[in-house]
Amino acid sequence: MRLNRPTFAARRGRSAGRRTPVLAAAAVAAALALTATACGPSEDDAGGLPTPSVPSADGKITIPDDLKDRLKEHGIDLDKWRNGEWKNWDRDKWLREAQDYVNPIIEDLWDPDRMREAEQPDKPVAEEDISGDEGVTDPTPRPVEARAVAAPYHDSVPEAGKVFFDGPKGSMVCSATVVQDPANPGRSNMVWTAGHCVHAGKEGGWYRNIAFVPSYNNGAEPPSRSATKDEIAPYGVWWGDWAQTSEQWISQGAATGGQGAPYDFAVIHVTPEKGGNGKSLEETVGSALPVDFDAPAVPEIESMKATGYPAAPPFDGERMFQCEDQPGRLSLKANDPTMYRIGCTMTGGSSGGGWVAAGRDGKPALVSNTSIGPVTAGWLAGPRLGAEAKGIYEAVSKKFAGR
């Protein structure tokens, strides 16, 4: 079994190493497990309330003093960082702990070409058996063919989008969902994705240049057409100014074998790249999904719908797809939470995409995210969101309460 990993950029005109990156444990996001918990300090962790980046009189982003101080604490010079120091992945430079998350905005880093390049998948990971199955595991579901979402995507799935980020082996991509913020109703800047889309797990640290693009390629333009940034990112590029994932993902997460997958979820708080117009992400896209941390048991769920931007063949990462199926159960270890599993042919790049079902109140809610799937791409599995996921979600909301 492989992580449904984020796909690596094969950058044109760059080093050969970048053109044929090799998946390592540090690049967990690109493996079988599609989901991972969001990483970051809990509400009582060190770090305090982050100050949002604000536009100066000339429209440029001004880095707040508290972020500058955090960068200095880690020996990071902001100017050098923006000029390429972020590409230094030496162990002593790769921040790992929850409270160490920093993600300075680099304006226009994610242009249309770089976004497209991040969707080119790496070579498949060698398949590994998942140890365990000691708990309740239902029969393997039949494959459900992923169906293309009709463009424009914003008309039917305004909450969905793509997450872009950089790792030691190049640029990568995942899928994500705009979710409600209980501390800022109607004005959420919170995005739900997989933990392995923000943090490399037990053998690595935080990924860099994490950014969210809602309704990516809204008009389903083909890769052969050189679409403009306004067409590729019609609702803007939103940088992650904070992210949290589970401590279980940080300590256990791995690219293969399903390790850490039951805790493979994350929450990213975002801010507009250009300073914005005063509107939140939720106001900008016009919607945000509630998150249900007490979803009905599998036998009570008629169907779940997974959304994502699959990028590994036969897909190209430029179009949004969905799978809908009645879920079954997948147990990796008897002492870990049982995961949801559905039939679906989506591939790498769909990692982190939201799974929607009717919640306890009967209304649509996010109940999971894509985490793992086999190399053969016949099914996907996602974590069941419980107390750990709820704690992360509420901590991020509280950190930005009233802002």
Side-chain angles (χ1 to χ4, degrees):
M1 182 167 262
R2 57 159 173 70
L3 270 173
N4 214 356
R5 61 177 177 273
T7 48
F8 292 94
R11 300 185 185 172
R12 295 185 292 271
R14 312 247 174 135
S15 68
R18 283 294 176 90
R19 294 185 62 82
T20 57
V22 178
L23 180 70
V28 167
L32 246 193
L34 301 175
T35 58
T37 42
C39 197
S42 63
E43 58 193 54
D44 58 354
D45 279 333
L49 290 172
T51 301
S53 300
V54 295
S56 61
D58 61 2
K60 297 293 184 181
I61 296 295
T62 299
I63 303 299
D65 290 339
D66 61 346
L67 177 55
K68 290 180 181 177
D69 291 342
R70 278 196 287 143
L71 291 169
K72 288 179 181 177
E73 287 176 8
H74 296 296
I76 297 173
D77 181 281
L78 185 58
D79 290 333
K80 290 182 179 179
W81 184 269
R82 285 174 162 167
N83 288 329
E85 177 63 19
W86 64 265
K87 299 175 185 177
N88 181 355
W89 295 94
D90 293 345
R91 288 294 289 191
D92 61 345
K93 293 290 186 181
W94 196 3
L95 305 181
R96 169 175 172 76
E97 301 305 322
Q99 67 272 17
D100 289 343
Y101 178 86
V102 291
N103 192 47
I105 293 173
I106 303 176
E107 287 191 30
D108 299 319
L109 176 70
W110 292 110
D111 59 27
D113 285 341
R114 198 164 190 269
M115 290 183 194
R116 278 189 290 267
E117 290 169 358
E119 293 157 3
Q120 298 174 12
D122 191 18
K123 296 178 181 179
V125 184
E127 190 166 353
E128 286 190 12
D129 291 332
I130 292 182
S131 60
D133 274 6
E134 293 103 339
V136 178
T137 293
D138 294 320
T140 301
R142 61 176 178 79
V144 173
E145 289 295 324
R147 301 182 63 179
V149 176
Y153 303 143
H154 184 264
D155 288 356
S156 56
V157 198
E159 308 89 1
K162 297 183 74 168
V163 171
F164 297 90
F165 53 101
D166 283 299
K169 300 299 180 180
S171 300
M172 294 181 282
V173 65
C174 277
S175 301
T177 307
V178 182
V179 294
Q180 294 178 1
D181 179 354
N184 293 287
R187 292 182 52 83
S188 176
N189 286 307
M190 291 169 57
V191 175
W192 192 281
T193 189
H196 72 259
C197 299
V198 297
H199 193 285
K202 64 182 180 181
E203 297 297 331
W206 291 103
Y207 291 124
R208 297 172 182 170
N209 303 324
I210 298 172
F212 175 67
V213 178
S215 296
Y216 173 82
N217 193 22
N218 191 44
E221 298 293 343
S224 58
R225 182 179 176 275
S226 297
T228 66
K229 190 168 184 177
D230 286 341
E231 292 173 317
I232 291 296
Y235 298 93
V237 177
W238 298 71
W239 281 66
D241 56 2
W242 191 253
Q244 287 191 219
T245 189
S246 66
E247 288 295 339
Q248 291 91 333
W249 176 258
I250 292 176
S251 62
Q252 302 171 20
T256 58
Q259 297 178 59
Y263 300 96
D264 187 18
F265 40 83
V267 178
I268 307 170
H269 188 277
V270 299
T271 190
E273 179 180 78
K274 301 290 186 180
N277 56 9
K279 289 186 176 181
S280 65
L281 174 61
E282 181 178 0
E283 292 170 306
T284 299
V285 304
S287 184
L289 282 175
V291 184
D292 192 336
F293 299 100
D294 188 26
V298 164
E300 301 174 39
I301 301 176
E302 292 186 4
S303 70
M304 282 185 175
K305 182 181 289 185
T307 301
Y309 284 84
F315 306 97
D316 61 14
E318 292 299 302
R319 299 192 64 186
M320 184 189 296
F321 285 80
Q322 292 180 323
C323 290
E324 187 168 7
D325 193 19
Q326 185 172 14
R329 294 163 292 185
L330 175 65
S331 176
L332 305 182
K333 293 183 179 180
N335 58 343
D336 279 347
T338 299
M339 302 178 71
Y340 295 119
R341 181 164 62 166
I342 61 172
C344 186
T345 60
M346 284 197 289
T347 60
S350 60
S351 297
W355 291 24
V356 177
R360 291 283 182 186
D361 60 2
K363 297 179 181 179
L366 186 140
V367 296
S368 186
N369 57 268
T370 299
S371 178
I372 58 174
V375 174
T376 51
W379 55 264
L380 299 175
R384 185 167 184 181
L385 307 181
E388 180 74 23
K390 185 177 182 180
I392 290 166
Y393 174 75
E394 292 179 343
V396 175
S397 176
K398 183 177 180 179
K399 182 176 284 290
F400 292 86
R403 306 179 64 173

